């Protein structure tokens, strides 16, 4: 479960969770087996600090999606200021064996972006005369390494060899060419997606460096901010 100790308020309307960007909403979908989860979650909660937590429950899995502001704390001596930065963390808990799980995040179909990934990062960048937007998350290498951090099943660490030999790989990231991931009962997996945007005139690659955090970094920042807020004296 994501952020189990954080207070939350159930919202009556369970609208489709999305991140509003200058190029349209960034929306999220999950497919288990051959069935896509409904766009509207079973439950939607408001968390402190302009955060949302959505939850879907199926006979075989529980899926959660956290949407949160994110401060990548870029060094101002090297990187220009961001206009905004928002993050998502998926978590899936498998209640039974799941042979195929896919997570997707996408902008409206009318938006064209170019692949902009790097080592351990899957990313796209969209740009016009005013704004540059980068959306990033774990690539296959990062997913394998996430097993060592407890963000993915430990046996996924052994899949690192497939990252460098696509001739037999059937799972991965990028453009939906793969069959998805498999989970065993009791497994859980956490995956991040970060959207950062800034004026396109800024050439410091600040949006690219902003979209690299792990789920643990994102969740720790949320927890630290809320603990700080809870400990602050009341105004007046």
């Amino acid at each position: 479960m994501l952020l189990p100790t954080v207070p939350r308020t159930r919202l009556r309307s369970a609208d489709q969770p999305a991140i509003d960007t200058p190029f349209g909403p960034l929306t999220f979908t999950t497919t288990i087996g051959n069935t896509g989860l409904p766009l509207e979650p079973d439950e939607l909660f408001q968390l402190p600090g302009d955060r949302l937590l959505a939850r879907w429950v199926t006979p075989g899995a529980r899926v959660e999606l956290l949407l949160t502001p994110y401060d990548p704390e870029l060094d101002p001596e090297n990187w220009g200021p961001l206009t905004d930065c928002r993050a998502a963390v998926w978590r899936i808990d498998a209640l039974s064996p799941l042979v195929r799980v896919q997570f997707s995040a996408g902008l409206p179909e009318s938006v064209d972006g170019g692949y902009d990934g790097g080592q351990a990062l899957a990313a796209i960048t969209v740009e016009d005369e005013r704004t540059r937007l980068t959306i990033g998350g774990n690539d296959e290498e990062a997913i394998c390494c996430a097993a060592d951090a407890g963000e993915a099943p430990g046996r996924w660490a052994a899949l690192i060899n497939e990252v460098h030999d696509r001739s037999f790989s059937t799972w991965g990231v990028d453009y939906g060419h793969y069959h998805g991931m498999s989970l065993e009962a009791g497994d859980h997996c956490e995956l991040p997606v970060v959207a950062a945007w800034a004026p396109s005139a800024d050439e410091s690659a600040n949006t690219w460096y902003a979209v690299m955090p792990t789920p643990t970094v994102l969740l720790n920042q949320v927890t630290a901010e809320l603990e700080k807020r809870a400990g602050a004296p009341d105004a007046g």
Side-chain angles (χ1 to χ4, degrees):
M1 180 181 296
L2 292 174
L3 303 173
T5 63
V6 173
R8 61 203 64 199
T9 301
R10 186 190 299 270
L11 298 177
R12 292 184 178 180
S13 175
D15 296 331
Q16 180 184 10
I19 292 174
D20 291 326
T21 81
F23 294 92
L26 177 66
T27 55
F28 305 87
T29 58
T30 303
T31 301
I32 298 178
N34 294 316
T35 303
L37 296 187
L39 299 181
E40 296 78 21
D42 297 321
E43 298 176 293
L44 188 65
F45 301 93
Q46 183 76 56
L47 275 60
D50 191 26
R51 297 176 173 90
L52 288 176
L53 179 65
R55 180 180 295 142
W56 294 260
V57 179
T58 76
R62 180 176 62 239
V63 177
E64 293 181 310
L65 178 66
L66 171 72
L67 303 184
T68 178
Y70 171 58
D71 179 4
E73 301 179 350
L74 299 178
D75 185 348
E77 294 186 1
N78 296 307
W79 317 112
L82 298 171
T83 303
D84 204 353
C85 188
R86 298 274 166 162
V89 177
W90 268 295
R91 178 178 171 116
I92 182 168
D93 290 278
L95 308 178
S96 63
L98 304 174
V99 297
R100 179 176 179 267
V101 178
Q102 288 183 311
F103 298 101
S104 301
L107 294 168
E109 292 183 0
S110 59
V111 177
D112 292 325
Y115 185 73
D116 197 19
Q119 185 174 8
L121 177 68
I124 64 168
T125 293
V126 181
E127 188 168 3
D128 62 17
E129 65 277 5
R130 294 176 298 176
T131 302
R132 181 178 64 257
L133 166 70
T134 301
I135 300 168
N138 286 358
D139 71 358
E140 296 90 347
E141 182 178 357
I143 290 172
C144 292
C145 293
D148 294 328
E151 299 165 348
R155 65 183 178 281
W156 288 11
L159 300 177
I160 191 69
N161 293 330
E162 294 189 17
V163 172
H164 306 292
D165 184 358
R166 299 295 182 88
S167 63
F168 65 90
S169 180
T170 59
W171 70 280
V173 182
D174 312 339
Y175 305 113
H177 297 318
Y178 300 97
H179 301 304
M181 305 172 182
S182 62
L183 295 165
E184 296 179 0
D187 283 348
H188 81 271
C189 176
E190 296 172 358
L191 294 172
V193 175
V194 180
W197 56 98
S200 55
D202 187 324
E203 299 180 354
S204 67
N206 50 357
T207 60
W208 195 82
Y209 280 94
V211 301
M212 297 184 177
T214 66
T216 298
V217 168
L218 293 170
L219 295 173
N220 285 347
Q221 187 178 99
V222 173
T223 300
E225 180 181 329
L226 296 183
E227 288 179 349
K228 181 178 179 180
R229 178 182 298 196
D234 295 335

